[in-house]
Amino acid sequence: MAKKQRGKTASSSKTAHKEKTTENLNMILESSDDEAPEEVTFEDSKVQALRSMQQALDTARREKELLKEKRRKRQELFQEQKKRKLLPTDVLEEIDSSATKKQKQATDEAEEEQQEEEEDKDEKGKRREKKKKTKKSAHSRNLKGNYTVTTTNDRTLTSFQQQAAEDFIKSRLYGPGSCRTTSNELLSLQNKKGTNKSAAVQFVKKDWACKQKAKAEMLKKRWIHKQRFPSS
Amino acid sequence: MGEFKVHRVRFFDYMPSAIRAMAFNHRTERLAVARSDGAVEIFNFTDSYYQEKVIPGRDGRAVEALCWVGQRLFSAGLNGEITEYDLENLRPQYIVEAYGGPIWTISCNSQGTHLAVGCEDGTVKLFEILKEKIQFQRNLDRQKSRIISLCWHPSGAQIAAGMMDMIKIFDTETGRATHRLLVERGVGTSKTREVVVWSVAFLSDNTIVSGDSAGKVQIWDGSMGTLVRTHLVTKWDVLALSVSQDESSLIAGTSEGTVVQFQFLSSTVDRQDPEWVRTRTFKSHSHDVRALVLTDTAVVSGGMDTQLSVRPLLDKVEKNTQEAAQRKIAFPHRNLVSCAKKAGLLLFQFPDHLELWRLGESDGNGKPGDSLPLKRKPEKLLQLKRKGEDHICCSAVSPCGGWLVYSTVSSVRLYKLQYSNNSVSITKVSKLPRELQSVHQLCFSADSSRLFAASSQSSVVVVALNQLECKYLQTLRHKSGSRQPVHLLFPSEDGRWLATANTDCQIHVYNLQKMKLHCAVPVHSSCPTAIAIHPTSSRLVSVHADQQIFEFSLLQQEYTEWSRKLQKQGLHSVWLKRDTPVTSVGFSPRNPTHILLNDTFMFCIIDQSLPLPESRTLLLNQTVLRSLPGPERARQSHAFKICKNFQNVLSVALLDDLSLAVVERPLLDVMAQLPAPVRQKKFAT
């Protein structure tokens, strides 16, 4: 108990520890009035006091270190999270490098462009390359694969307005409530009304309505499966 | 007739784009048609509806309305720009931003001094038409909703504007709205939906006619601002209106694909006051009619089904004549297919890309009419996307297949192709001469060493090609002073001659050895639609829009004996009645007296050694002849051998191995890709 108390006091103050130990000693002496005082040599108690003091100091340091460690880990976690929000490093590197390198076209003309690059080895080519770089808008960058990074604020107000106007026409002519059918229906109507009737267009033309045919095929398979295993 | 191995090509997925707007110039009888991809086409109605000029489109140029002012053509579109076209160089001359958002309509007053445009932001903007440009003058009172349609009063003092739910009449002097005519919404579910006044017409007796999205054609009294009469025409939208010049008749086009005619008549004989009476309904389209023109004699309509229909009014034309027949123009009158005759390649031109195909091969032999088994399937070698936003206006592949060139209004691109057993490599030719800039037509010489490009003022730029470079040689010019664009080019097989034809109906022949004009062929009143020079005898064959055929000897510089005989006797009436122009002329190396022609619906061989058909004989006599015995067959056969096995033909070319490549585009395939039509209930289906 005495140790504990001493420990606590020691932890609270470092500089005036000697005076305090004497005080504490007095306190112990006072508290154990009725008992016979245990014989403790001054040397012993001094050693004990010093040890406990050392322990207290150690715990304080450890606590501080723990706190530091915690903060550091937290910082690391934040950085990790920040990184995770960004694009992967290889992509970022690609962007950086492509800014300096020649911009490649990721379309069907890739082949052609390669040829051009080969040509570009001579000086004339280089000059032309420069010209090309200046011609292209600074807002778009092409990556290695089929990805293109473009800033979105490049589109002007007019194109948005144009899009809105086109959407207006589309919604008026083809939107809900416009009672439209499909070209397939129209063709089948024509077929029914015509003088020489033939099979529906999707059967005559093999390459037509591929999606619907694929879907029908799938449903048919499913149906057959169901017939075969009615329980499952 | 001669037997050919035929490559029946059906893999050209050409898709014409929908007709969006039309304008008719009553003085020059030219119809301007704007398509949804931004292309503008000019048809000459005095010359068998020949498609004289095509101005290629551009990405984002959504032309919404067209307007002629004298000889000048203006368009306005949803990109908010007013464009005047340069009809000599087939490109926009200048573009003026209206600063009012998307433009829905453009209209010119009858005096030809001002243009009015209706904008998305609710303003009607007046532009003054000056020489070589237009200048903004002022805005009329700004309205709350977009201006969809506009029409000037013939006096020029008032403008009627169709908007959402209403029509407003503006005084052009003060710019104030004088009347507001409220248009009733549709019945039933569409009650909550605003009605759009798609089209409006202002007549000289102050009558206003409107067509709206509720399917009504309404007649208003413009001076009092009252509704006179409502005609419910359709359950869908009335999208377009057009009034005849004498204001006695008007037509309305609907989403159903019908065109309804109204006439200003007294309804009964004894009543004196005439009124607008619904008279006729035409159904010439399967899809929405979006553009209409009523000429003096015919209803011209076009819409989402991409076909231009010309339907003569039978009370205005003589019955049972060529004039009284309905015409449908489904395909362009120029060639979109270029053929490498030596290499067996076909180049297909789309607005935004080119496709190069190798024809299939077959080693089988069969009877005439059999289809042969394929040894090698046709294969797509290359798909080349164009650069930039301008659409491709012309393209060509060299006969050896080693060069490919295309042009947009802004630039020309030349590529060198190399084939190694299963792959194609393409190299862009980097430095082109500066003279190759604005080009309307391109072709290669027969030995692929020269490139000819039709440039401005009907000149022809000659460029020499070899492995290392491409070098400008010369510009060929003629002295007739015509500035019209060249639409046909034909270099002769032996490399001596180059023939050009322009839309002024002139044909010029240049001597390529001396690099100067050799002669000009006498001008026929109709525009040439196909020209060719015979490979051995240097005779120029030209076929014109009125179906006449001429043969001109370049050495004697006169019409040949055969041509004179043909003119004297006259062509067969069945031949003259065909309604599509001949788009290509060729010669058979096997038989020098044969001329090969084709139009959209037939393929024909003219045998010059045989007698010309009499007017009473059957022109299409191939099946009859086949059933006759030998001597009788020889007696009955005549020069015109016509084959109708192929329909909707875009191009026919005779390859060097004497097989024919026939490129067909069945209309059914085009129709299957069109947008949704309206749902109609048909009895008993």
Side-chain angles (χ1 to χ4, degrees), chain B residues 203-220:
Chain B
L203 309 185
S204 50
D205 61 351
N206 272 328
T207 304
I208 293 173
V209 186
S210 70
D212 57 48
S213 64
K216 305 187 296 279
V217 172
Q218 290 183 310
I219 319 286
W220 308 80

Side-chain angles (χ1 to χ4, degrees), chain A residues 99-125:
Chain A
T100 51
K101 258 171 43 185
K102 188 190 161 188
Q103 293 155 353
K104 275 186 199 170
Q105 200 68 6
T107 52
D108 290 351
E109 278 175 301
E111 205 180 25
E112 164 207 334
E113 295 284 331
Q114 271 171 15
Q115 300 285 352
E116 272 178 31
E117 255 182 292
E118 280 163 33
E119 274 174 42
D120 286 347
K121 274 167 194 164
D122 53 30
E123 285 179 356
K124 284 173 195 172

